[in-house]
Amino acid sequence: MRPFLYLLLAISLSAETIADRKVVLGLVDTCAQAPKTYEAEGFKADGTVHAIFYDALPYGGKTTRVFAWIGLPAKREGKVPAMVLVHGGGGTAFKEWVQKWNAQGFAAISIAVEGQTDVNISQEKGRSTWARHAFSGPARDGTFADTKLPLKEQWMYHALADTMLANSLLRSLPEVDASKIGVMGISWGGVITSTIIGLDERFAFGIPTYGCGHLFDAENHWGQALRDNVGYKEVWDGMNYADRVKMPVLWLSWPQDAHFPLGCQAENYHKAPGPRMVSLITKMGHSHPAGWNPPDSYAFAKSIVETGKPWGSSPSAKTESGTAVAVFHSTKPITSAVLVSTTDKGFTGTRKWVETPAAAASGGGGTTTSAPLPPGTTAWYINAYADKLTLTSDYQEIK
């Protein structure tokens, strides 16, 4: 950003916002030391995975701790890469998620960011209510409904700190390669991840799943809640820090997600200068298992820790004379491609998306895919497939 633009931005922001952003940017230093850990009594270990509490930041003048499941791969040689895993709304620290990453050769910690454990005390309409523990910090208050409170009393402040402290904890383990730690969040965890990748440069890569920034103009409940929420827009929205994202990022979602619009996701990844990969998985669904079951997050993470780069990317996507054209670079063979398009308008999650075959031609160090756009197309992208992995072009809106 040029100097005069920095000046214009500073003029437009209040002194309180500038001070709050300074505190947020300083959270990494605040959370740089590995927190003290405690075995979680009453939670049975499962192989190498066990439950812990770790010290977090004070809240309401009281000490707080975070409940988490943490584990190492059963078989390992030398130091291993690792993951910090952040749940979404209605979720908690998931042992199963840790085990899935352990099976891929990663150490992992799954954290509970609302002061809860994984003890289910009630079930209603498929939604769990988790028991809170004696050292709980704040729980999430709706959709950033607490931004009128002092910064350090807001849930997002603590959720980001909890995630950074989990990173510091993993980095302190002798079995973990501190240069190869990633962060993955699902839904609300994806919102946290989309912000933290612009704050904690110690992470080697990020995988925001569903969740993203730029939600204040979403054409659904997010936009309704955040359109006039200055605290979200000026402090917590990941867009405020996206120009600091130098790490590789996988933006993982699907076209009919009922919560997070593809346009908002695209606004977020277009502002982040680091290497990116987009995967929009047809019929993925929205849930914690739907987020962690596909092979895409694991393949992306492995490509980063093994080569330092995503295994695939799409450097260009455009419309030429009524034809959608997208170029893909991939270290894996591209086996097929499809155009995914819609003629509907409005929120992307409620539009009808249609798949049509796309031609794919290799050459010049990449694969060029193309397909005629149906008349009246309002938005499109192309999916290129490497066996069961999905590599997606940038999302395109036709005005």
Side-chain angles (χ1 to χ4, degrees):
M1 188 181 289
R2 287 169 289 183
F4 75 91
L5 290 180
Y6 276 117
L7 179 61
L8 288 175
L9 179 62
I11 293 173
S12 67
L13 296 177
S14 68
E16 182 181 7
T17 294
I18 293 171
D20 283 349
R21 283 198 192 175
K22 185 176 180 180
V23 172
V24 172
L25 288 166
L27 262 177
V28 178
D29 291 335
T30 302
C31 302
Q33 297 300 313
K36 184 178 179 180
T37 62
Y38 312 83
E39 288 299 316
E41 296 180 3
F43 295 86
K44 186 179 179 180
D46 189 347
T48 62
V49 181
H50 63 286
I52 63 169
F53 288 96
Y54 62 85
D55 282 339
L57 300 187
Y59 172 68
K62 297 180 180 180
T63 299
T64 71
R65 295 176 185 172
V66 175
F67 175 79
W69 285 96
I70 188 169
L72 295 166
K75 297 181 179 180
R76 58 186 183 274
E77 294 182 6
K79 291 181 178 290
V80 297
M83 293 295 300
V84 175
L85 308 172
V86 190
H87 66 83
T92 188
F94 291 105
K95 177 173 64 174
E96 178 184 358
W97 202 2
V98 172
Q99 291 170 326
K100 285 183 174 292
W101 279 98
N102 288 172
Q104 298 291 331
F106 288 71
I109 183 170
S110 178
I111 66 176
V113 295
E114 294 196 46
Q116 77 277 45
T117 68
D118 71 344
V119 175
N120 188 354
I121 57 176
S122 71
Q123 190 84 17
E124 185 176 350
K125 296 181 179 179
R127 195 174 184 88
S128 299
T129 298
W130 309 104
R132 291 176 64 77
H133 56 81
F135 293 92
S136 297
R140 178 171 56 84
D141 183 3
T143 306
F144 291 99
D146 60 356
T147 54
K148 299 288 187 180
L149 296 175
L151 186 77
K152 295 182 181 181
E153 294 181 20
Q154 295 177 36
W155 171 74
M156 189 66 165
Y157 174 85
H158 290 271
L160 292 170
D162 295 347
T163 308
M164 294 177 187
L165 287 165
N167 187 8
S168 297
L169 175 55
L170 287 178
R171 298 171 72 84
S172 73
L173 301 180
E175 300 90 348
V176 169
D177 185 337
S179 69
K180 296 180 178 180
I181 300 174
V183 57
M184 179 178 181
I186 291 176
S187 196
W188 264 104
V191 175
I192 293 168
T193 300
S194 68
T195 298
I196 211 162
I197 55 177
L199 299 174
D200 193 343
E201 298 176 345
R202 300 174 302 167
F203 282 116
F205 58 93
I207 308 175
T209 304
Y210 312 123
C212 59
H214 203 273
L215 295 171
F216 53 84
D217 64 357
E219 296 169 304
N220 64 349
H221 58 280
W222 285 97
Q224 294 170 9
L226 299 175
R227 191 170 292 116
D228 299 317
N229 189 324
V230 176
Y232 165 76
K233 292 167 74 171
E234 295 189 353
V235 179
W236 300 126
D237 187 350
M239 293 289 284
N240 294 313
Y241 315 102
D243 58 358
R244 295 166 46 92
V245 179
K246 305 300 192 297
M247 68 187 71
V249 180
L250 169 63
W251 299 88
L252 181 61
S253 192
W254 66 305
Q256 292 176 303
D257 193 78
H259 300 275
F260 299 97
L262 298 184
C264 292
Q265 184 194 58
E267 290 284 351
N268 203 159
Y269 61 64
H270 282 147
K271 193 176 178 183
R276 73 168 173 268
M277 182 172 167
V278 181
S279 294
L280 300 179
I281 302 174
T282 301
K283 298 181 180 179
M284 179 181 179
H286 186 110
S287 70
H288 288 98
W292 69 49
N293 281 335
D296 301 81
S297 62
Y298 308 106
F300 173 81
K302 286 182 178 180
S303 70
I304 301 304
V305 301
E306 292 171 2
T307 72
K309 300 177 181 178
W311 66 264
S313 64
S314 179
S316 68
K318 57 185 177 179
T319 302
E320 294 181 346
S321 302
T323 298
V325 180
V327 175
F328 295 94
H329 292 167
S330 173
T331 60
K332 304 177 187 294
I334 299 297
T335 53
S336 63
V338 297
L339 169 71
V340 185
S341 65
T342 181
T343 57
D344 295 337
K345 296 181 179 179
F347 174 55
T348 57
T350 57
R351 298 189 200 186
K352 180 181 179 181
W353 295 88
V354 177
E355 294 191 2
T356 52
S362 297
T367 299
T368 300
T369 60
S370 61
L373 288 171
T377 294
T378 55
W380 65 270
Y381 58 87
I382 290 179
N383 273 348
Y385 298 104
D387 194 14
K388 296 181 180 180
L389 300 176
T390 302
L391 177 57
T392 304
S393 71
D394 284 3
Y395 172 72
Q396 305 291 311
E397 287 274 6
I398 299 176
K399 305 299 184 181

